[in-house]
Amino acid sequence: MMKVLAIVGSPRKNGNTDVVVQKVLEGAAEAGAETETIYINDLDFKACQGCGLCNVMADCKLKDDMTDVYKKLEEADAFVFGSPIYFDQFTGQMRSFLDRCYALVDAELKPRLPVGKNAVLVRAQGDPNGSMYENVFDEFGNILKLFFGMTVTDRLVAAGYDLPGSARKDAELMEQAKQAGLHLLD
């Protein structure tokens, strides 16, 4: 069975980011995938220490919750990455998570994970201008492509929603999210 792993960088479960991510996973499950969600805020891990051990060994010297996450990242067939926008960028939680994924590239910055996997990107923002933070998606998507050989298949934006979970009232967005999940493993 194919596995889809969601990584949620929001500190709010059931917030707008999570609502959209879960709808993507609903579509993936309907397409026959096994799904799992990792809430970064629930993990206990240190930030990358820049020690360079992972440049010479396929391992991170820090033994914390990320150790199990690395295995899940390797086993997953596709991904959903979601984060709200805080101060014009994805959350610090998502940034720290991504920094720790440095252990998943070799000294030549080539991916240690199997390449060719698909990913959906989700962001939530208070600003109603849905194109306001496209640069965040561009940057994150480029990192996924360059360092992990992933292809971003969809970008979903919950724009203009301030109250947690209010994005679920957007029927068009919810349908887009479900369709993104249905086609994530194509």
Side-chain angles (χ1 to χ4, degrees), residues 46-113:
K46 288 185 176 183
C48 178
Q49 302 297 295
C51 69
L53 177 69
C54 61
N55 286 323
V56 294
M57 296 179 65
D59 199 14
C60 180
K61 83 170 192 173
L62 300 173
K63 301 302 175 207
D64 52 26
D65 286 355
M66 285 298 291
T67 304
D68 290 334
V69 172
Y70 294 146
K71 183 176 171 107
K72 291 178 184 208
L73 290 168
E74 185 175 343
E75 293 173 350
D77 297 297
F79 301 92
V80 183
F81 294 95
S83 178
I85 297 293
Y86 288 2
F87 286 99
D88 293 338
Q89 189 54 261
F90 276 170
T91 61
Q93 289 94 326
M94 184 62 88
R95 186 71 234 179
S96 290
F97 176 87
L98 191 59
D99 284 350
R100 279 294 298 277
C101 288
Y102 184 68
L104 300 174
V105 297
D106 66 19
E108 296 174 359
L109 302 178
K110 301 287 187 231
R112 287 189 172 122
L113 295 176

Side-chain angles (χ1 to χ4, degrees), residues 4 6-8 10 12-28 37 39 79-84 120-125 137 154-161 163-182 184:
V4 176
I7 308 294
V8 178
S10 175
R12 288 185 184 161
K13 288 181 183 174
N14 300 309
N16 292 313
T17 300
D18 194 24
V19 164
V20 178
V21 167
Q22 295 310 314
K23 188 55 85 168
V24 175
L25 292 181
E26 181 183 310
T37 304
Y39 295 95
F79 301 92
V80 183
F81 294 95
S83 178
V120 171
L121 302 183
V122 174
R123 78 172 186 268
Q125 61 190 55
F137 271 171
D154 280 293
R155 299 168 160 209
L156 302 166
V157 181
Y161 299 104
L163 297 175
S166 59
R168 77 173 38 91
K169 295 177 184 174
D170 185 334
E172 183 179 340
L173 176 60
M174 293 296 100
E175 182 58 26
Q176 288 173 343
K178 187 171 182 180
Q179 289 299 316
L182 281 166
L184 182 55

